[in-house]
Amino acid sequence: MTHVEDELTGQPECWIRAAAEAARFRGELPSAGERVAFVGCGTSFFMARSAAALREAAGHGESDAHAASEFPYHRAYDRVVALTRSGTTTEVVDLLTRLRGRTRTTVITADPATPVRAAADHTVVLGHADERSVVQTRFATTALTLLRAHLGLHTDSVVADARTALAEPLPEGLVECGQFTFLGRGWTVGLADEAALKMREAALAWSEAYPAMEYRHGPISVSTEGTATWMFGEAPDGLAEQVRATGALWVQSTLDPLAELVRAQRLAVAFAQARGLDPDRPRHLTRSVILAP
């Protein structure tokens, strides 16, 4: 078993622990009414997008998401929440350092003994979700679970759905497809982006992601026999029929969207192995991007 396979299968237990610890971190996480920016790089940026959409939709306050390298320093926020598994990513460390003394900051990381701890005002450590793999799975979903629980949006059914996602066979025909498109709405747009990234990282697959309603505005033209379109959450009316009419395989999520991401992670591993690739050794990637001065 590869590291990434081992780590993705442990997600239900990681989520249970994160949800149980959410109350302990109440003081470090955003309060209702605060204007908050969530930031990250790569997978962590996509989780930041989901967290921001969830928080604002739940009525907890204005919430934005930015790639750490594109942070708008001219905007005023009450708090910035940074997600970084390694705690060493250059763009995140630089951002937190620049905000020190100007804006309250919280970092969610897997390793406390890293530069972000000195740069941030508050640190939330999810050491039980740390990973050996370059490709992120359980840390990202555990961090988002913590934030969902903090917002009162996590339930036991999410964990049950994750167990189902790990136990059930993948939809028939998916591994044989040559191109994958993932769609989302609201907070699941970030999950769709992350699913597509997993396919690119682990399996070198042609994969894309879009807001579901935007898919009709051009991207649907790539759908044909041998491609798959996977919807995270409820699909817009008529979209499934339109996709099926192209000859593409339509996959509609039946689980909580975060659990659906676990199924997509499994697909990335299965697709990589079907192509003779090692998902633990993605091409051109390292566990953390650290830029030379």
Side-chain angles (χ1 to χ4, degrees):
M1 181 178 289
T2 62
H3 294 318
V4 68
E5 285 179 282
D6 179 56
E7 289 156 0
L8 73 85
T9 59
Q11 287 175 106
E13 289 71 28
C14 287
W15 298 1
I16 291 170
R17 180 168 172 180
E21 292 181 343
R24 180 162 66 91
F25 294 120
R26 185 177 294 113
E28 287 81 9
L29 297 174
S31 301
E34 287 186 330
R35 189 164 190 255
V36 177
F38 294 87
V39 300
C41 299
T43 290
S44 292
F45 171 49
F46 297 144
M47 296 300 102
R49 290 181 64 188
S50 289
L54 275 170
R55 183 175 184 269
E56 187 156 320
H60 286 252
E62 290 186 26
S63 307
D64 295 330
H66 305 288
S69 59
E70 299 294 327
F71 186 80
Y73 289 94
H74 61 279
R75 291 191 185 176
Y77 291 104
D78 298 311
R79 187 191 302 263
V80 171
V81 179
L83 283 70
T84 168
R85 175 180 64 175
S86 68
T88 59
T89 302
T90 298
E91 297 100 304
V92 175
V93 175
D94 287 350
L95 182 150
L96 294 172
T97 301
R98 287 186 63 178
L99 292 177
R100 187 80 171 172
R102 294 172 45 191
T103 304
R104 180 180 297 180
T105 58
T106 296
V107 64
I108 302 174
T109 186
D111 186 352
T114 52
V116 292
R117 186 161 195 172
D121 296 316
H122 305 285
T123 305
V124 174
V125 179
L126 301 177
H128 65 281
D130 202 359
E131 298 162 324
R132 296 178 64 185
S133 176
V134 171
V135 176
Q136 279 200 58
T137 55
R138 72 183 181 196
F139 173 76
T141 61
T142 301
L144 187 55
T145 296
L146 176 76
L147 293 168
R148 288 180 84 184
H150 176 65
L151 295 171
L153 300 175
H154 175 82
T155 65
D156 292 341
S157 65
V158 179
V159 174
D161 279 358
R163 297 193 194 282
T164 299
L166 291 168
E168 289 186 347
L170 291 171
E172 187 175 351
L174 261 182
V175 175
E176 290 73 37
C177 289
Q179 186 269 344
F180 303 87
T181 301
F182 298 91
L183 306 177
R185 303 180 79 179
W187 75 282
T188 71
V189 173
L191 301 185
D193 280 326
E194 171 59 9
L197 179 63
K198 289 287 90 68
M199 294 298 296
R200 292 191 292 270
E201 287 180 330
L204 306 182
W206 176 16
S207 57
E208 303 173 338
Y210 303 96
M213 292 297 288
E214 286 297 306
Y215 187 57
R216 295 182 170 105
H217 295 271
I220 195 171
S221 62
V222 304
S223 294
T224 186
E225 292 185 13
T227 71
T229 302
W230 191 329
M231 181 72 213
F232 281 70
E234 185 178 353
D237 291 343
L239 184 57
E241 291 75 16
Q242 284 182 281
V243 171
R244 292 191 183 105
T246 70
L249 174 65
W250 171 260
V251 181
Q252 174 62 56
S253 65
T254 58
L255 306 172
D256 179 89
L258 193 59
E260 199 71 18
L261 179 58
V262 176
R263 286 212 299 167
Q265 293 168 348
R266 288 182 56 213
L267 172 63
V269 171
F271 194 78
Q273 292 172 338
R275 301 181 69 181
L277 300 172
D278 182 352
D280 278 341
R281 293 176 173 81
R283 190 170 64 184
H284 310 315
L285 297 179
T286 57
R287 189 174 183 274
S288 174
V289 177
I290 303 174
L291 305 177

